[in-house]
Structure formats: structure tokens, C-alpha cells
């Protein structure tokens, strides 16, 4: 099945080099894969965020397809309108895809996304999840893992990193009625491309969440992005799965399970967790979260 889907992927680059993303940007790597899976017959609606700012502006663009910039909160609403307009005009064969960061998706655009799914728009919504508001200086979002030191949850005498858990948006999307919900990682490109190919042909709302490590915000070297993304999956912190019509239809088994420390110790924004009693408690909590994912999705 995966082979058949990926066999149709275009060799053409529809997201091209020359943009201003930081070296090793997980979003840029993932977007290139996403565009290969989507192909040319698409209208992209891109919310304000890193991806939008670094790929368009000053009269240049990295997108070889029709592309609309929406406000930070509005990608799902704009995509809904584009899809409805295409439908009412009798235009067939053009997929509408919304792309936004986790700030634009989990937080400020959450209501728009829920409305889009509730109205059953035929839109594929892709969240590039870098667990932060990257574009404005690495503030926390409701996707950020607990314990993370961000610009708005710093580590000092009054604040010890993020307190709240990561919002489980894929499960919320399942409950909301999205016909296809999947998580993906650029460390597993065949799986990522197959999921985007599947989401593309759904006649109802699809939600795909892609883990996109950010060297600049998370604090790691730009040549380590794929390694970090792979380790995130292998610890169970980023479970890869698919839901179709409310049912879990696949989850990627972890061949080589790793403790969460193997992920945390590689990222600068977790360095305060090591060698303190308080840090050990937070690491244990994250290990429990990973264990729960492993049990829940049979990873
Ligand atoms: C209503 C509104 N509030 C705040 C901003 C400022 N702003 C622009 S992008 C952004 C953060 C984007 O974060 P995310 O969606 O996670 O994308 P990333 O930059 O991490 O890719 C913020 C706070 C804005 N443009 N509009």
C-alpha cells in the first residue's frame, strides 16, 4: 500500500531552495517532502509563522504552486473559504491544504480548525509542530513539552520551565470528527509521504501533525535535525500513528526503544533538567508520558 502511494510521488521540486530558513530547519525539510506528496494541483494556505516568513516576501517565493498567506490564527478559516469557493464554482481536482505551526494550530487557530473539521470541509490541514512560537523568539505553545525552558517559561528562581502537559491535538481532532488524523516525522520520509498522499485523497477534513525539530530554538547543531527527529520517535515521545473515521488503523512499532534522556540531553532547552532532583522528577514525568504513548498505541 505504502509502496503504491509513494510510487506516484513527483520527482519535481515544488518547494525550492533559496528560501531563508535556518540551516537544518525541520519545517523546511518536511515541507519539501509534503510538496512531493501533494503535487501541483493544490492551493496552499499558509498561516503566519516561520515557514511563511522565510519562504515568501520581497517579491520572491520558494513555492512552485498557488500559495496564500493567511493571518496567524486564520489558516483553517481561509482554507475553508477557498474550498467552498472551488466547490460552488464546480472546480474539481484541486486540493486545498492549510499549513500552520503549532502556535497557529494548537493555540490561536484552534477554534478555526475545529470549525473547519466540524463543517466537514475537504481540506488537508498540516501542522508543522516545532513545539514553540519559533517566528517570534521561541515562546511556549500548548504543544511544548512540560519542563521545557522557553522565552515565556524560562528557568530561574521564579520559573522552572513549562508546567502544563502537551495538548493531545490528534486525539482532539479524532473526537472532532476529522476523517483522517495522522502523525509523521521527517526522519521517516516514506511514512510521511504515504500519510500525506492518503490525507490528500480524503473527501472530508484531514489533520496531519509533523514533528519538526528546530535547531535554533531547541538548541542543537543544524546537521542533527533528522537524528533528533528519529530519536524523538524512538523514545515514544513522538508516537507515529493513523486514525481513519475515528479508528486507529496503524502505528509505527519502535524497533530500538530509547529512554527519554537520549532525546532530552541532545537539546539545549532541556539542559536544566540534568543533575538536579527537580529535573529528575520532570524527566520521570516525561518518561511516563512516553511509556503511556507506547502502551496506548502499541508501539
Ligand atoms: C493575532 C496575532 N498575534 C500574534 C502575532 C505574532 N506572531 C506571528 S507568528 C507567531 C508565532 C508563530 O508560531 P507557530 O505558529 O508555532 O509557528 P512557527 O513560527 O513556530 O513556525 C506570533 C506570535 C500575530 N502575527 N498575530
Amino acid at each position: 500500500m505504502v509502496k503504491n502511494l509513494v510510487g506516484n510521488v513527483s520527482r519535481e521540486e515544488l518547494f525550492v531552495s533559496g528560501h531563508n530558513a535556518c540551516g537544518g530547519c525541520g519545517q523546511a525539510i518536511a515541507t519539501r517532502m509534503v510538496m512531493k506528496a501533494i503535487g501541483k494541483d493544490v492551493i496552499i494556505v499558509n498561516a503566519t509563522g516561520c515557514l511563511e516568513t522565510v519562504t515568501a516576501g520581497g517579491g520572491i517565493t520558494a513555492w512552485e504552486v498557488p500559495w496564500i498567506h493567511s493571518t496567524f490564527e486564520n489558516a483553517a478559516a481561509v482554507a475553508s473559504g477557498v474550498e467552498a469557493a472551488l466547490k460552488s464554482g464546480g472546480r474539481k481536482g484541486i486540493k486545498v491544504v492549510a499549513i500552520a505551526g503549532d502556535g497557529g494550530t494548537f493555540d490561536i487557530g484552534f477554534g478555526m480548525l475545529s470549525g473547519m473539521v466540524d463543517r466537514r470541509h475537504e481540506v488537508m490541514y498540516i501542522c508543522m509542530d516545532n513545539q514553540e512560537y519559533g517566528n517570534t523568539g521561541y515562546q511556549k505553545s500548548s504543544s511544548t513539552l512540560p519542563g521545557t525552558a522557553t522565552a515565556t517559561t524560562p528557568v530561574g528562581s521564579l520559573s522552572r520551565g513549562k508546567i502544563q502537559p502537551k495538548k493531545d491535538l490528534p486525539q482532539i481532532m479524532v473526537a472532532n470528527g476529522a476523517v483522517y488524523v495522522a502523525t509523521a516525522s521527517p526522519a521517516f520520509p516514506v511514512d510521511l509521504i504515504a500519510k500525506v498522499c492518503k490525507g490528500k485523497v480524503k473527501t472530508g477534513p484531514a489533520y496531519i501533525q509533523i514533528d519538526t525539530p528546530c535547531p535554533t530554538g531547541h538548541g542543537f547543531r543544524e546537521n542533527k535535525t533528522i537524528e533528533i527527529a528519529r530519536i524523538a520517535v524512538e523514545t515514544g515521545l513522538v508516537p507515529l500513528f493513523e486514525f481513519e473515521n475515528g479508528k486507529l488503523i496503524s502505528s509505527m512499532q519502535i524497533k530500538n526503544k530509547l529512554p527519554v534522556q537520549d532525546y532530552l540531553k541532545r537539546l539545549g532547552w532541556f539542559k536544566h533538567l540534568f543533575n538536579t532532583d527537580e529535573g529528575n522528577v520532570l524527566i520521570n514525568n516525561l518518561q511516563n508520558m512516553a511509556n503511556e504513548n507506547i502502551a496506548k498505541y502499541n508501539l
Side-chain angles (χ1 to χ4, degrees), residues 29 40-41 47-48 58 67 79 142 158 179 220-221 251 269 276 283:
I29 297 169
K40 273 195 153 155
D41 298 325
T48 304
W67 178 94
S142 51
L158 297 177
V179 296
F220 63 85
R221 290 200 43 203
S251 50
W269 72 0
T276 65
I283 292 173

Side-chain angles (χ1 to χ4, degrees), residues 131-194:
Q131 301 181 30
E132 68 194 5
Y133 291 15
N135 189 46
T136 41
Y138 322 115
Q139 295 87 11
K140 74 126 184 139
S141 78
S142 51
S143 163
T144 311
L145 289 173
T148 308
T150 71
T152 41
T153 58
V155 174
S157 55
L158 297 177
S159 162
R160 310 298 296 156
K162 191 191 173 195
I163 297 165
Q164 303 85 358
K166 182 180 174 92
K167 188 189 276 182
D168 194 349
L169 195 52
Q171 287 290 354
I172 295 173
M173 287 296 103
V174 170
N176 210 154
V179 296
Y180 182 71
V181 175
T183 51
S185 163
F188 298 89
V190 173
D191 179 72
L192 184 154
I193 287 171

Side-chain angles (χ1 to χ4, degrees), residues 64-77:
E64 297 281 316
V65 295
W67 178 94
I68 303 170
H69 168 216
S70 80
T71 54
F72 180 30
E73 66 278 25
N74 237 8

Side-chain angles (χ1 to χ4, degrees), residues 27 47-53 71-73 100-108 127-139 141 212 214:
Q27 290 199 57
T48 304
C50 276
L51 188 66
E52 167 268 322
T53 31
T71 54
F72 180 30
E73 66 278 25
D102 49 288
T105 304
F106 285 59
D107 294 342
I108 194 169
C127 173
M128 295 290 176
D129 182 13
N130 60 9
Q131 301 181 30
E132 68 194 5
Y133 291 15
N135 189 46
T136 41
Y138 322 115
Q139 295 87 11
S141 78
T212 54
C214 164

